[in-house]
């Protein structure tokens, strides 16, 4: 996983976490678009009765170069992040290299009631927040019993 | 409106101790060390950089806006906090650390102390 969680001074909970991740890896029914977790940008998805909220954690990118497309209920986020590593001929040593660099593309399947005409996208503090409204008819209604 | 506990899952253990480990790049050149860290979702005022003794601590609180009543259905960034520590070596000048923080990407420059700057040593051939 991209952002690992750490539990300082608690080895047992760290082992517990590893076990949970292993279970998830095996029991997860794989999507046709590959494993849902991992990759860049990391993503969180949330739902409200009126909208689907997608958060893509893509720090240090010019928002003008991020390509967001919605086609047939599939949302695609694509772009490129430049490497900060020095050229090979430079007189510098790379001690740790963990950050993502290069082209990226991630895809999210939206629920059927997502409205492709009511999408908003904001980029703040390195997080791309996309909000897709749900169509009115699909919202839950209470049916009164006569 | 702006409540990050809804976006990220609630931690099960003591909240103050659990944090995500941000990915970093560390590059050393003749003049010092440059450190890049990814801390997406952290606003400038929630970033905390600290040098205590020879320990550098990078810490940041994630703050995301979420509409009311949102329920998280998938979370890869699952805690509302990042933390990472590094031990600095003696030749680095901790008093001269400079930092830039732009759209969740941190760049730290830690120069080497004057006396530790590289010098070319002449070899006398006899």
């Amino acid at each position: 996983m991209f952002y690992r969680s750490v539990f300082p001074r608690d080895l047992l909970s760290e082992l517990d976490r590893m076990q949970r991740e292993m279970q998830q890896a095996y029991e997860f029914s794989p999507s046709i678009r590959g494993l849902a977790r991992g990759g860049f940008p990391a993503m969180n998805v949330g739902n409200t009765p009126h909208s689907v909220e997608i958060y893509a954690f893509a720090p240090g990118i010019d928002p003008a170069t991020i390509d967001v497309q919605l086609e047939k209920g599939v949302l695609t986020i694509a772009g490129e992040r430049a490497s900060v590593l020095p050229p090979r001929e430079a007189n510098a040593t790379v001690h740790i290299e963990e950050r993502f660099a290069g082209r990226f593309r991630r895809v999210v399947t939206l629920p059927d009631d997502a409205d492709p005409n009511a999408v908003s996208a904001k980029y703040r503090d390195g997080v791309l927040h996309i909000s897709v409204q749900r169509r009115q008819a699909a919202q839950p209604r209470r049916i009164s019993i006569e | 409106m702006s409540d990050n506990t809804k976006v990220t899952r609630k931690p099960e253990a003591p909240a103050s101790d659990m944090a995500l480990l941000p990915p970093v790049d560390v590059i050393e050149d003749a003049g010092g060390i440059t450190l890049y860290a990814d801390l997406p979702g952290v606003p400038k005022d929630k970033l905390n950089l600290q040098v205590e003794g020879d320990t550098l601590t990078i810490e940041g609180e994630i703050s995301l806006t979420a509409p009311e009543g949102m329920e998280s259905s998938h979370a890869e960034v699952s805690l509302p906090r990042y933390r990472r520590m590094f031990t600095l070596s003696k030749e680095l000048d901790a008093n001269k650390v400079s930092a830039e923080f732009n759209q969740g990407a941190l760049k730290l420059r830690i120069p080497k102390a004057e006396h530790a700057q590289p010098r070319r040593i002449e070899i006398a051939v006899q």
Side-chain angles (χ1 to χ4, degrees), chain B residues 65-120:
Chain B
T65 52
E68 219 166 324
M70 191 182 89
E71 278 181 41
S72 172
S73 59
H74 174 86
E76 290 168 10
V77 176
S78 53
L79 294 169
R81 186 178 303 106
Y82 302 102
R83 191 187 303 118
R84 193 150 180 182
M85 291 183 218
F86 295 93
T87 305
L88 302 176
S89 57
K90 246 184 254 163
E91 78 277 10
L92 295 170
D93 194 342
N95 298 318
K96 287 191 185 146
V97 179
S98 60
E100 285 170 45
F101 190 50
N102 200 2
Q103 292 290 9
L106 172 71
K107 181 183 178 184
L108 274 185
R109 176 74 184 166
I110 314 161
K112 287 182 188 166
E114 289 290 313
H115 62 84
Q117 297 278 352
R119 261 171 309 183
R120 198 181 158 78

Side-chain angles (χ1 to χ4, degrees), chain A residues 64-140:
Chain A
T65 65
I66 305 176
D67 182 31
V68 181
Q69 283 193 23
L70 181 54
E71 201 189 339
K72 293 185 182 122
V74 175
L75 181 81
T76 306
I77 299 168
E80 186 166 10
R81 188 159 89 153
S83 171
V84 296
L85 301 180
R88 197 180 288 244
E89 63 272 17
N91 190 15
T93 313
V94 178
H95 294 298
I96 308 177
E97 185 188 344
E98 295 168 348
R99 294 165 74 242
F100 176 88
R103 298 197 61 80
F104 60 84
R105 175 181 287 268
R106 279 201 82 176
V107 170
V108 183
T109 312
L110 296 174
D112 292 340
D113 60 349
D115 186 350
N117 301 313
V119 184
S120 70
K122 278 176 235 153
Y123 187 71
R124 210 192 73 186
D125 299 328
V127 178
L128 177 67
H129 177 191
I130 299 165
S131 180
V132 185
Q133 298 297 307
R134 289 172 186 271
R135 279 194 205 89
Q136 213 65 24
Q139 281 168 26

Side-chain angles (χ1 to χ4, degrees), chain A residues 21-60:
Chain A
E21 280 189 3
M22 293 283 281
Q23 269 172 5
Q24 274 173 0
Y26 288 113
E27 286 168 17
F28 183 73
S29 59
S31 153
I32 199 156
R33 295 198 176 82
L35 197 66
R37 256 164 206 285
F40 183 91
M43 282 207 207
N44 284 12
V45 181
N47 291 290
T48 76
H50 310 285
S51 65
V52 182
E53 309 288 330
I54 296 135
Y55 298 84
F57 295 80

Side-chain angles (χ1 to χ4, degrees), chain B residues 35-51:
Chain B
L35 182 150
Y36 298 86
D38 279 350
L39 304 149
V42 177
K44 234 171 202 150
D45 58 313
K46 295 271 179 70
L47 174 73
N48 185 15
L49 297 171
Q50 210 178 319
V51 181

